[in-house]
Structures are given as C-alpha cells and as structure tokens.
Amino acid sequence: MTSPSQKETRGFETEVSRLLHLMIHSLYSNPEIFLRELVANAADAADKLRFEALARPELLEDGAAPGIWIETDPEARTVTIRDNGIGMDRDEVISNLGTIARSGTAEFIRNMSGDQKKDTQLIGQFGVGFYSAFVVADHVDVFTRRAGSATDTGVHWASAGEGEFTVETVMREARGTEIVLRLRESALEFADAFRLRAIIHKYAEHIPLPVHMRQPAGEAGVTPDWEVVNKATALWTRPRSEISDDEYKGFYQHIAHDFEDPLAWSHHRVEGKLEYTSLLYLPRRAPFDLYQREGVHGLKLYVQRVFIMDNAEQFLPLYLRFIKGVVDSSDLPLNVSRELLQKSEAIDSMRGALTRRALDMLGKLAGEQKDDYQAFWNACGQVLKEGMAEDPANRERVAGLLRFASTHGDSPAQDVSLADYVVRMKEGQEKIYYVTADNHAAASQSPQLEIFRKKGVEVLLLCDRLDEWLMSYLTEFGGKSLQHVAKGELDLGKLDSAEEKAEQEALQQAAAPLLERLRQALADRIGGVEVTQRLTDSPACLVRGQHDLGHGLRELLAAAGQALPEAKPVLEVNPAHALIRRLEAETGEERFAALAALVLDQATLAEGGSLADPAAYVRRVNALLLELLR
C-alpha cells in the first residue's frame, strides 16, 4: 500500500481521459474560457472557507483577506493562479482532479454538438471547469493545502493530460491552492499580462473577491507591486443605476456558465420586516439538466454577503428551476442549514415573493418582447406547465404565460396565449375550446374540429404528452371555462341557432333505429351511440365523458403501471355521411356488425388511439376490398 508521503502515479478514470482528449485536440476555438473557469473555482474556494470559518474561526489562520493572485512568466511560458481559499487535502485532490464524483463528464460528452465554440462554452455548466486548463496548457501543476491542516500535509498534483497524473505530499506554508499552467506553443498569447487583464475584466469584473496582478513593469530591478484589477464588489449589492447591462450580462455568464446573454433579469432590494436582495435571470436556452427534476438547481444563497449554499432550491418552486441568480439576506441566521431553511417562516415569505418576482419578469417579457418570450417558451415551456399543479396560489399567473398552437392559422408553433384566444372569441362564444392529440398533425386533423371550422371558432391544439394532465388543472381562464371538444356533451350555446338545434333533435329521432342496432352490435366496446353535432365531413368519432381520462393520459398511466378505471367511449355518428347511410341500409345482421366494427375502428384510429385487435381490423378491411374487386 502506498504511503501518503510517497509520490504516486494514478490513471484518470476513463471518462476524464476522453474529456482531456477532447479538450486538447478539439475544443480550442475559445481558449480564454480556461481563465474564467479557474477564477470561478478560486472564488468558490474562498466562499467555502468563509462558510466553514463561521463554525471554525481558526481556519482563517493568519487572518489574511481572501483573494486571487495571477501572474505570468513569458520566458517560462507559465501562468500561475493562486488563492487563499479552503484548499484540498490529498483525498480531495485525487477525488476532484482525477475522477468525477457525479456524471458531469459523461453528460458533457453526451451533450456535445460538434460546434467547437459552443462545446467549449459548455465546460463550466457540467462541473468540469478545471480540465479547461488543458485547452491552453501542456502541463499543469497544482499545489494545495486544506485550511486548518498541518504545513507538512500539502499536496502536489501534476499531469500532462495524457491519461495519468502524479500526486505527492509536500510541505506548504500557505493555505489554499496554486495552479501553474505551462502554456502550449499555440497559447503563448496568455503569457501576456495585458491579455489576461482584458479577460479578467470580461469574466471576473463582478465577483466579490479581489483579483490581483502585478502592476506594469516600472524601473529596472524593481519588482512591481500587486494591484486589484477587478471591482471586487458583489454586483447585486450595488444600486441598479450604477450597473450597466454589460455587467449584468457578464455576471449571468459567470454564475450560469452560459456563453449567451440572458433574456431578462430582475434586480430588487427588499426592506421592511424582511431585508434581502435578489438578482434573478431568465436564460435564453434550457439548462442541460432542465428535465431532471431530481437534479441540482436553485439560487446562490448569501447571508450578509457570506456564501452559504450554491444551489438553494428552497427559494423558488421546482417549475421555475430554469431561473438562475443570487439571493442575499440580512435576516437568516449565519449557521443556516438545509433543515432550518426548509422550516423557516422567513424562507416561506421570501419564496413567495421571489416566485411572484420571477413570474412578473416572465410576464413583462411576454408583453414587451414577444419574440424573446417565444424563444424562452420553446426552450423551457414544458417545465413552466408544471406550475399549474405545483403552485395553486399563482395558477392564474402561470396560465397567462402558457402558449399553445391553435386552428388560428394552423401553424404548429406554440405561440397563442389564452388572452390572445379570448380576444378572438366569436360573438356569443362562452367557452375556450381545445383538443388533445399525440402530435400537431393528429390534433389539427381531428374530426371533432369539423363543426368548429364550419362556424369559424378557434380551437387550441394541444399535442404535448403533458397537456392532457395540464388541462385537469386548467379549467378556467378570465372567467371562461375550458372545454375539450371530444369530451362530454357538446353545447355551443349561442353559437347554435334555434333552427340548428331543432334540426339536431329531428336527426336524433330519425336515426333512433340505427342507433339501437349499433348499440347492440358494439355493446362490448362502447358506452353508447349518439347522433353527432361535431361532424360535417367524417362518418363517426369517439367522445369520452366530461371527466374521463383521454386516451393519451390513459396510455401514459398504463405505461407507468397504474390501474385505470373502466370507461367506454360514446360513438357519435353522422347520419348524413354516405358510409353511415350505407350502413343503415344493410339488412344482414352479420355484415352490419362487421361494418359497424370497421366504423368504430376507424374512429379509434382517427383520435390517435390503438386497436385492441389490429388483426381483426385488417381482416374486415381485406374482406371489404375483395368484395369491391369482384
């Protein structure tokens, strides 16, 4: 067994080796990203030290203020980045720099798009920022000691990024971490101190930690003093009037590890019973883990400017997990923990206020920048729908932010709001109509839409798997109830004239013998037969009870192993259709039953359902075709 004091050579885990190969040989279109990631890691180390020092003040040792120091040596081709943060012990070095505790590396590799610039920018999002050092360096040395440990427990880690690394225990006086990059020939531009200053101004101007660099060379033989090259103040603590849009955007890119600008942001300070500052951002594209409800999400939490938690999910509901940002409170105890956060009345109050703030930001974007809101909806709209169930207190607000496709223009784009629909409602129309299906084509061609197209009534087309579940919570908007066009009895109210209602009653009475024959022939498959009011061109359709599960939700629950209640649909037929007239004229009961089953099967397929006995359907169709060919 290797002694802790001996030098040890280890191999990277397989996925890290793959990542390093990609870093070195492919991801070079934006190499300056390495400095953003290493500075961010140093800032995180300082935050962690401040937090641990709340309970263990001795960790601060010499009492030196936290900071980051960067210097270059053009002759040696090196860049050195040093911090006096929490540091690492030997086990942490091996774990953090040789393996990945979570699936960050694998997820990064799976999400690569082939666009070198975008793939490079993904590095920080997937928690593999340290390895970006190998984009510019052919050899990396790390010297570190964990705060509070003895000076003879320092660690030296080294690697050329070629499949293995060495680690040994060394003497180290200073706590924190020092990273020495030996630059590749193709990256010698980063040995220029002025080039690094420009990158720091771009990526680290806003972090609440001073970044020091040597002053430009003065007299010969005189070592230049260190100077702070960033503002080193927490951006969220500054007045909004003093912060430029570029600074807001830069801070977002820092905390979200995103290469694109945010769509919107909301910066507010609250004073009164509770005092806190929040800065919330709306991303332009979906975070990589958006659909992993159990994944890491939440805001960065500070208490009196002391970093507490990186992903505090208690401040926003799960359906707003795409929101990035910071919250800094003066009222939470400094020994705050996850258990205290979950039970605190202050947290509940802040959560409610921050949720409303986030929804207001979305509402403002939707009202003033429709194209930008559409970009957000296309990226994150599916997750926002979860709010209809998760947040009853804000259900009306969330409903106003939803977007759907509709028969208004028949475009597959989900760009119609409920407010847009209400404005376009026909005179005398009392309900908002919608239909659900597996895809846009099936929804837009649903036979149940025929009467609505004839009368010029707009219908929302819901074709996402989540939509049928969503509509169980979205039953009303703006005083108008929502009605599924394929569920329950269709009552068009004032949209139907007295003559049309009288004609419908006459058809029902005239078709009574046909309806009875169909009930008998299909008794084991349907719950009833009625004359349709919905169809103008199709022979038949299926209609479910007002509160029955639709076929899409039934299939979803069945796939999850859920027991489903027995519910047979009603078959509605169009007596004016030639096929139904031919069926009515059929005198042979056996043939009548076969044709009735064929009509029912077609109605099932038209709604997007599946047949219990597809082979029987094929046999009936083949028999009919053979008759026609005789």
Side-chain angles (χ1 to χ4, degrees):
M1 187 172 178
T2 304
S3 168
S5 62
Q6 293 178 332
K7 187 172 184 177
E8 182 181 0
T9 299
R10 288 173 170 253
F12 288 109
E13 68 173 9
T14 303
E15 287 181 341
V16 173
S17 294
R18 291 177 62 198
L19 176 67
L20 289 172
H21 181 81
L22 289 168
M23 294 279 188
I24 296 168
H25 298 287
S26 300
L27 304 182
Y28 52 76
S29 62
N30 191 13
E32 67 182 36
I33 207 75
F34 85 95
L35 191 60
R36 182 190 78 177
E37 295 305 321
L38 296 183
V39 168
N41 288 348
D44 288 344
D47 284 337
K48 291 174 183 176
L49 175 62
R50 282 194 291 246
F51 180 53
E52 290 197 19
L54 295 174
R56 299 176 59 199
E58 68 274 12
L59 293 181
L60 296 178
E61 298 176 356
D62 56 8
I68 302 170
W69 291 262
I70 301 175
E71 58 184 323
T72 64
D73 187 337
E75 293 185 4
R77 288 182 13 210
T78 62
V79 173
T80 301
I81 301 162
R82 174 170 54 89
D83 69 71
N84 58 355
I86 192 68
M88 294 179 283
D89 59 28
R90 186 186 182 100
D91 289 340
E92 287 173 322
V93 167
I94 293 172
S95 175
N96 295 339
L97 305 188
T99 62
I100 294 294
R102 62 184 182 85
S103 59
T105 308
E107 191 72 19
F108 170 81
I109 292 171
R110 282 197 295 270
N111 279 268
M112 287 184 63
S113 65
D115 184 319
Q116 292 175 355
K117 183 173 181 179
K118 290 185 178 180
D119 289 340
T120 303
Q121 301 279 11
L122 284 174
I123 291 169
Q125 285 192 1
F126 290 87
V128 293
F130 169 77
Y131 302 110
S132 63
F134 290 99
V135 173
V136 298
D138 57 19
H139 191 276
V140 177
D141 289 281
V142 178
F143 302 89
T144 185
R145 177 172 69 83
R146 205 178 204 286
S149 64
T151 57
D152 61 357
T153 60
V155 183
H156 175 208
W157 179 98
S159 177
E162 295 179 349
E164 63 182 25
F165 61 91
T166 62
V167 60
E168 62 179 321
T169 302
V170 297
M171 291 291 298
R172 181 169 172 81
E173 294 293 329
R175 70 166 187 265
T177 301
E178 179 177 324
I179 301 175
V180 182
L181 311 180
R182 189 179 70 193
L183 298 173
R184 301 177 184 278
E185 289 290 342
S186 59
L188 292 182
E189 63 179 292
F190 300 110
D192 181 352
F194 289 100
R195 177 77 169 95
L196 292 190
R197 283 171 180 251
I199 299 172
I200 290 168
H201 287 308
K202 181 177 180 180
Y203 292 118
E205 189 69 20
H206 39 262
I207 65 171
L209 197 69
V211 178
H212 304 80
M213 291 191 70
R214 298 282 190 186
Q215 292 177 342
E219 299 178 12
V222 177
T223 302
D225 292 331
W226 293 98
E227 66 174 339
V228 177
V229 295
N230 66 328
K231 290 184 178 179
T233 58
L235 178 135
W236 63 88
T237 64
R238 293 160 52 193
R240 285 179 292 179
S241 59
E242 297 179 5
I243 307 173
S244 68
D245 286 355
D246 287 341
E247 287 179 304
Y248 276 122
K249 293 173 183 177
F251 184 66
Y252 165 75
Q253 292 177 349
H254 167 69
I255 62 172
H257 296 282
D258 196 348
F259 64 92
E260 293 191 62
D261 292 337
L263 282 173
W265 57 84
S266 176
H267 184 192
H268 287 273
R269 176 170 176 78
V270 176
E271 296 179 338
K273 185 177 180 181
L274 281 175
E275 291 190 5
Y276 62 91
T277 300
S278 64
L279 176 52
L280 308 179
Y281 286 99
L282 187 64
R284 187 174 297 273
R285 61 192 180 99
F288 76 94
D289 57 352
L290 181 66
Y291 295 100
Q292 299 173 11
R293 288 175 59 90
E294 70 285 354
V296 176
H297 56 87
L299 305 177
K300 288 183 176 289
L301 172 63
Y302 288 77
V303 173
Q304 298 175 18
R305 303 187 189 181
V306 175
F307 175 76
I308 300 297
M309 193 181 299
D310 199 31
N311 297 286
E313 71 272 13
Q314 295 86 347
F315 291 96
L316 288 173
L318 193 58
Y319 74 92
L320 294 177
R321 58 186 176 272
F322 47 80
I323 297 287
K324 303 293 183 182
V326 170
V327 59
D328 189 341
S329 173
S330 300
D331 295 296
L332 298 177
L334 286 177
N335 63 342
V336 70
S337 66
R338 285 186 181 270
E339 290 73 25
L340 289 175
L341 278 176
Q342 290 168 350
K343 298 174 183 177
S344 168
E345 291 183 6
I347 293 298
D348 292 340
S349 177
M350 292 170 65
R351 177 188 175 96
L354 290 171
T355 298
R356 290 190 295 272
R357 187 74 64 191
L359 294 176
D360 286 346
M361 177 170 59
L362 286 166
K364 182 178 180 182
L365 185 71
E368 298 178 1
Q369 297 169 260
K370 294 185 182 298
D371 290 343
D372 283 344
Y373 184 78
Q374 192 62 42
F376 156 76
W377 177 262
N378 293 340
C380 305
Q382 290 295 297
V383 170
L384 188 62
K385 291 177 180 179
E386 297 171 12
M388 292 301 298
E390 294 178 6
D391 193 359
N394 289 298
R395 189 167 288 167
E396 188 77 8
R397 287 178 180 231
V398 176
L401 296 170
L402 301 179
R403 295 294 182 267
F404 306 97
S406 87
T407 55
H408 181 74
D410 274 338
S411 168
Q414 296 182 5
D415 56 4
V416 176
S417 70
L418 293 174
D420 293 335
Y421 182 100
V422 170
V423 169
R424 292 194 292 261
M425 286 176 65
K426 302 284 288 185
E427 184 178 354
Q429 183 179 344
E430 298 172 351
K431 297 180 179 180
I432 298 173
Y433 296 101
Y434 69 94
V435 66
T436 59
D438 290 337
N439 52 65
H440 182 267
S444 62
Q445 298 303 315
S446 173
Q448 284 93 340
L449 298 182
E450 291 174 3
I451 187 63
F452 295 94
R453 284 205 166 97
K454 178 181 178 181
K455 292 181 175 293
V457 175
E458 183 176 2
V459 178
L460 300 176
L461 307 176
L462 281 60
C463 48
D464 294 325
R465 290 179 66 86
L466 194 65
D467 284 342
E468 197 169 331
W469 167 84
L470 165 72
M471 300 312 285
S472 65
Y473 295 94
L474 180 56
T475 58
E476 184 182 78
F477 179 80
K480 305 289 186 181
S481 61
L482 281 87
Q483 174 67 50
H484 195 307
V485 301
K487 285 188 178 183
E489 183 178 345
L490 182 62
D491 180 6
L492 295 177
K494 297 178 182 178
L495 296 176
D496 267 346
S497 65
E499 292 78 7
E500 288 174 320
K501 292 179 181 179
E503 182 181 350
Q504 182 70 18
E505 292 177 4
L507 281 173
Q508 185 78 23
Q509 294 176 0
L514 171 63
L515 301 183
E516 182 57 32
R517 291 178 72 189
L518 286 170
R519 288 189 192 100
Q520 294 178 7
L522 303 172
D524 58 335
R525 296 179 60 188
I526 59 174
V529 186
E530 302 289 343
V531 170
T532 188
Q533 184 184 358
R534 294 170 168 85
L535 305 179
T536 60
D537 302 316
S538 300
C541 67
L542 292 181
V543 176
R544 302 185 181 274
Q546 183 66 41
H547 303 292
D548 288 348
L549 299 178
H551 80 274
L553 189 55
R554 292 180 69 86
E555 290 181 356
L556 197 63
L557 294 174
Q562 298 287 329
L564 300 176
E566 181 67 25
K568 295 180 180 180
V570 170
L571 178 67
E572 288 194 357
V573 295
N574 178 8
H577 194 278
L579 181 58
I580 301 302
R581 290 202 304 269
R582 174 64 184 83
L583 182 63
E584 186 177 16
E586 179 60 50
T587 57
E589 291 305 317
E590 184 176 346
R591 180 172 171 77
F592 177 88
L595 291 176
L598 193 60
V599 169
L600 177 57
D601 288 343
Q602 288 181 336
T604 302
L605 294 173
E607 76 159 1
S610 56
L611 301 178
D613 189 355
Y617 171 73
V618 172
R619 286 195 298 271
R620 285 190 285 268
V621 171
N622 287 343
L624 184 60
L625 290 174
L626 286 173
E627 286 186 19
L628 294 174
L629 293 173
R630 287 174 184 169

